[in-house]
Amino acid sequence: MMHALRQLRYLTVAAQVGSFRRTAEMCQVDQSNVSRALKQLEDNLGVALFERARSGVRLTPAGQQFLAEVSPALEQLEFARRSARAARRAESGLVRIGILTSLAGGFLRHLVQNYTVKHPRVTIDVRDGGRREHLAAVRARRLDAAVITGAGSVPGCETRELWRERVHVALPERHPLAARAKLDWPDLKAEHFIVSRGEPGPEVHDYIVRRSADYSTYPEIEEKAALQDTLMNLVSLGQGITLASAAWTFVKVPGLVLRPLTARADIVPFSIVWSSANDNPAFLRFLQTAQLLASCRRGTVAETARSR
């Protein structure tokens, strides 16, 4: 097997440089090794692959056809070789991920847990922040990736949707709407919303305005100089209501309840965004894990839908 791969490597290089001598130099072997290996390949195939002259070598028509047919397999082998090396290097390292949502539960928590179990020597550095801040950090390589809402393309980055979550309304438990199992936007038209002044507050603010406008309502929205954890406690104390991702249903805040919005438009995609130039082996393995879990999740959701 290794002998055949060596022959194919010599074939590829010689076809590019047009010289057995230069091929030997690039592959760091004696020229006789290259000549002998390619002659054996020709004998095994029963065709001449090269036209040989004093000025160098070039592929025959049969050689061109053979190289065209084996090139995809060689590319796959090279990819497998790089992946294997990356997997070995990914045994230790650092992965820096920017997030907008809670790690208390849901897909993101499952992803981090799954990766940590498989790669205990890799440090996962999770950073809270806003969409604009995270994307700038990804482009500057200060973050390996960001997990953001939406599934649209991001200029200068690669994106992949991982999962979807239904938006929930956070209410104090004594609120009249807390008695309902689910809510819709007409139920909220007279409500006082509060959002954090910092991230993800501006994004939540814009979402409330956009979805309320679909029902020709214009809600009262107050900004609070509070982080998301504090904001949820302010909701529980009766200072207003707000919106949150489904992951917040795993967070226990005294006096706080969350109720899902029923509209299909209130199911929000979450995507991972990264730079295509990122060659951090530990992150590439994290990305592979994320895509595998996302694929399994979609399969489970589809199977559940079919069984209903």
Side-chain angles (χ1 to χ4, degrees), residues 101-173:
T101 187
S102 172
L103 268 179
F107 181 93
L108 191 56
R109 182 181 180 88
H110 184 206
L111 169 59
V112 173
Q113 284 180 324
N114 187 286
Y115 184 85
T116 301
V117 168
K118 293 180 179 178
H119 304 279
R121 294 173 58 194
V122 175
T123 299
I124 304 293
D125 181 11
V126 178
R127 305 179 189 179
D128 292 314
R131 179 189 184 92
R132 185 177 302 176
E133 171 192 352
H134 284 338
L135 293 182
V138 167
R139 293 188 182 103
R141 302 289 295 276
R142 295 191 303 272
L143 284 177
D144 289 299
V147 177
I148 63 173
T149 54
S153 61
V154 176
C157 297
E158 301 289 330
T159 64
R160 183 69 55 86
E161 181 182 322
L162 294 181
W163 82 98
R164 297 187 172 206
E165 287 184 11
R166 186 171 290 280
V167 176
H168 283 60
V169 181
L171 306 148
E173 62 181 1

Side-chain angles (χ1 to χ4, degrees), residues 201-271:
E203 190 168 343
V204 175
H205 179 284
D206 292 346
Y207 187 90
I208 295 170
V209 171
R210 184 174 69 254
R211 292 292 291 126
S212 297
D214 292 340
Y215 297 87
S216 299
T217 59
Y218 304 92
E220 179 185 352
I221 307 175
E222 179 186 0
E223 293 184 353
K224 295 284 190 180
L227 298 177
Q228 196 71 0
D229 286 344
T230 302
L231 189 77
M232 289 300 185
N233 280 279
L234 292 176
V235 169
S236 73
L237 292 171
Q239 293 201 17
I241 70 172
T242 194
L243 301 184
S245 67
W248 275 93
T249 60
F250 296 91
V251 181
K252 302 302 180 184
V253 177
L256 183 76
V257 298
L258 285 98
R259 297 292 181 257
L261 287 165
T262 58
R264 187 178 184 85
D266 293 309
I267 299 176
V268 177
F270 283 78
S271 299

Side-chain angles (χ1 to χ4, degrees), residues 91-102:
E91 291 178 359
S92 62
L94 172 67
V95 178
R96 302 158 300 172
I97 305 294
I99 67 171
L100 305 178
T101 187
S102 172

Side-chain angles (χ1 to χ4, degrees), residues 3-4 13 24 30 42-43 63 88 94 128 144 150 186 205 228 255 261 269 298:
H3 181 62
V13 176
D30 291 336
E42 290 176 320
D43 291 343
R88 186 171 64 249
L94 172 67
D128 292 314
D144 289 299
H205 179 284
Q228 196 71 0
L261 287 165
R298 284 192 291 269

